Amino acid sequence: MNPTPPHPGPPAEGTAVRVVLADDQLLVRAGFRALLDAQDDIEVAGEAADGDEAVRLVGEVRPDVVLMDIRMPRLDGLAATRRITGDPRLAAVKVVILTTFELDEYVFEAIRSGASGFLVKDTEPDELLRALHAVVAGDALLSPGVTRRLIAEFAARSKAPADDGLLAPLTEREREVMALVGIGLSNEEIARRLVVSPLTAKTHVSRTMVKLGARDRAQLVVLAYESGLVRPGWLG
C-alpha cells in the first residue's frame, strides 16, 4: 500500500476552507452545515457523531478545520484532538473546540491537547465564519475570557521549568513578544506596548511560532509558561 500523501497545507487564496463537523447531536451538526453550505468559500468535508469517527474521517479527507465537540460517546473530543494533532500527517489540520460555555472546565486540557481555540455553540454566524478563516491563517481563537482562564490554569498548575534551551533560537525582541502573547495580549496591544506597528508585531509573533514549531498562537501561550518565560506572578 502506498504511504498517505502529506497534507497539502492551508488552502490557497480563493479556495474553499474545508471543514469537518464533529458533534454527537444531529441538530447541532445540521445547524452548522446549513450555515456553512451557504458560503461560497467554505465546504463541509464531512460529519462525525463521535470521536472515533472524527479521527477516522479527518485522516481520510484532510480538512483545514475540525469543529470538535468535547462531550461525545466512544471517544471524547479531547482524546480525538490529541490523536489528530499528534499525527504528523495532519499537521496542517486545525481543531476548534465547540463548547456550551465560554469558561468550559476543559479549556486547559484542550489547549494542551493541541486545540487552536474555542467557539461557543451560540456564536453569531458572522463571527463563526470570520473565526474559521482566522484559524486557518494561524490565529488562535481565544477570547479574552478564555485566555484569562487559560492563564489562570497555568498559574495554578505551574512548576519550576527546566532550562532545556527551548527559547535559545529566539531574539530578545521575540522573547518579549512571546511573553506578551503569554499574558493574553493581542497583536494590536503588543504593538502599542512596544511602540511598533501591528504588522511588525504580527511578524514577530509569526517568526516566533516558526522557530519554536508552534502550531498557532494558543501553543505559544503553553510554551511561554512551560519554558518559564511567563510566570504566575505576571497575572496581576
Side-chain angles (χ1 to χ4, degrees), residues 157-215:
R157 303 182 188 203
S158 179
K159 299 178 181 179
D163 183 10
D164 57 5
L166 173 70
L167 304 182
L170 303 184
T171 65
E172 284 302 314
R173 177 46 62 94
E174 287 165 350
R175 292 187 185 211
E176 188 176 10
V177 168
M178 182 177 174
L180 295 175
V181 170
I183 63 174
L185 298 192
S186 66
N187 286 347
E188 290 73 17
E189 291 168 332
I190 291 172
R192 288 196 295 271
R193 180 76 65 93
L194 300 180
V195 195
V196 297
S197 71
L199 178 58
T200 297
K202 181 178 181 180
T203 298
H204 284 310
V205 172
S206 298
R207 287 177 178 169
T208 302
M209 287 169 51
V210 169
K211 287 184 178 182
L212 298 183
R215 290 172 63 92

Side-chain angles (χ1 to χ4, degrees), residues 21 23-35 47 121:
L21 304 173
D23 195 299
D24 62 333
Q25 297 183 51
L26 178 58
L27 285 177
V28 172
R29 298 200 311 274
F32 278 112
R33 176 180 274 278
L35 170 64
E47 298 181 25
K121 289 186 177 180

Side-chain angles (χ1 to χ4, degrees), residues 29-127:
R29 298 200 311 274
F32 278 112
R33 176 180 274 278
L35 170 64
L36 300 181
D37 278 345
Q39 312 305 313
D40 294 333
D41 56 355
I42 296 177
E43 171 192 344
V44 176
E47 298 181 25
D50 61 62
D52 276 332
E53 188 178 355
V55 173
R56 177 190 57 76
L57 181 61
V58 169
E60 290 177 358
V61 305
R62 309 284 181 98
D64 300 300
V65 184
V66 184
L67 292 179
M68 180 82 74
D69 187 28
I70 290 180
R71 300 170 184 83
M72 292 189 293
R74 296 178 60 187
L75 188 71
D76 66 41
L78 294 180
T81 296
R82 282 192 290 271
R83 292 189 186 182
I84 292 168
T85 61
D87 187 338
R89 299 170 302 171
L90 305 176
V93 177
K94 306 294 186 182
V95 178
V96 175
I97 298 296
L98 294 170
T99 181
T100 305
F101 301 103
E102 186 179 71
L103 298 185
D104 194 285
E105 62 186 282
Y106 297 109
V107 165
F108 180 87
E109 288 304 327
I111 294 298
R112 288 294 302 270
S113 298
S116 295
F118 289 79
L119 285 174
V120 291
K121 289 186 177 180
D122 60 355
T123 294
E124 292 294 326
D126 287 348
E127 183 180 346

